[in-house]
Structures are given as C-alpha cells and as structure tokens.
C-alpha cells in the first residue's frame, strides 16, 4: 500500500533514491546537512520501502525551491510523482499566506521537463 508521509528520509534512503534515478550518491554527512535544511519533506512508502520523495527548500517568505522530486523507476507512471507535486504545491500555498508574492523555483532533470509543465 502506498503511503505519503511528511518526514525526512534517512541519508541511506535518500542515497538509495538518488542512485535509483541516476543521480548517484553523496557522503552521508553531506546528505544529512542538506536534509536538515529542508522546510518541507514528503516521503512515499510502499509498505516499509521508500519509493518516492520530494522536498521544499528556501526561506519561507521570499524564496522557495521545489527540489529532489524523485520516484524509483519501477514506480514511475503510477501518479506518485504527480501526487508528490500536489502535496508540495499545497504546502507552497500555505507559505503564500505569509507572502502572496513568494517566488517558487523548480529545476527539472533533463528529459523530465514535460512532467513538470503541467504544474
């Protein structure tokens, strides 16, 4: 069963995901520092297995950045990435209550631009 949980993954989980989508891995200390600076973090589990992730980084008032949206290949094309994006956009809407003009950025991996265009 697929579950969307607001939490931060472990460094090992994060590296598993980044490696599975072709981004490689990073040193555990670097991953832990990066994840500690996350404003909002959403993990997607199939039972106990992390299969997707997305996060928002920024300063909560002027700048936000949707980052690290990833779904392991065997779970892609099952609306998991779209649901992650919907959760992230809902959270961004909450930040807009503080500043309606908050700037939100998103970088798409090469070849994945089409996925993000609908958002």
């Amino acid at each position: 069963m697929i579950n969307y949980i607001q939490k931060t993954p472990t460094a090992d989980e994060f590296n598993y995901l980044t490696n599975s989508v072709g981004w490689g891995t990073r040193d555990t200390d670097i991953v832990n520092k990066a994840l500690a600076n996350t404003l909002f973090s959403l993990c997607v589990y199939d039972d106990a297995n992390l299969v997707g992730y997305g996060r928002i980084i920024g300063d909560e008032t002027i700048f936000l950045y949707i980052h690290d949206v990833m779904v392991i290949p065997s779970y892609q094309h099952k609306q998991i990435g779209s649901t992650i994006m919907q959760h992230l956009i809902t959270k961004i809407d909450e930040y807009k209550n503080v500043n309606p003009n908050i700037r939100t950025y998103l970088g798409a991996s090469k070849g994945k631009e089409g996925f993000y265009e609908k958002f």
Side-chain angles (χ1 to χ4, degrees):
M1 176 174 210
I2 302 295
N3 292 302
Y4 296 81
I5 302 170
Q6 183 181 336
K7 67 172 273 197
T8 302
T10 66
D12 287 341
E13 287 177 318
F14 184 85
N15 272 328
Y16 168 75
L17 283 175
T18 58
N19 198 47
S20 75
V21 298
W23 298 350
T25 61
R26 293 182 177 88
D27 179 81
T28 299
D29 291 337
I30 291 171
V31 172
N32 283 330
K33 175 124 176 126
L35 293 175
N37 289 299
T38 300
L39 295 176
F40 179 79
S41 184
L42 184 73
C43 292
V44 184
Y45 289 90
D46 185 359
D47 294 322
N49 301 312
L50 186 64
V51 299
Y53 179 67
R55 68 184 179 132
I56 299 170
I57 59 176
D59 61 20
E60 297 182 66
T61 56
I62 297 172
F63 161 82
L64 298 173
Y65 183 50
I66 295 173
H67 199 54
D68 294 326
V69 176
M70 52 191 152
V71 177
I72 62 172
S74 60
Y75 283 81
Q76 292 177 4
H77 308 289
K78 297 181 179 184
Q79 299 300 309
I80 293 171
S82 294
T83 304
I84 291 170
M85 286 297 296
Q86 290 166 356
H87 281 271
L88 298 178
I89 290 167
T90 297
K91 188 64 177 178
I92 288 166
D93 288 342
E94 291 176 22
Y95 290 120
K96 285 182 178 180
N97 289 327
V98 175
N99 176 8
N101 298 312
I102 197 166
R103 293 179 185 244
T104 304
Y105 298 89
L106 167 70
S109 295
K110 188 171 184 159
K112 299 292 185 182
E113 299 89 350
F115 168 77
Y116 293 102
E117 286 176 352
K118 59 188 167 200
F119 301 102

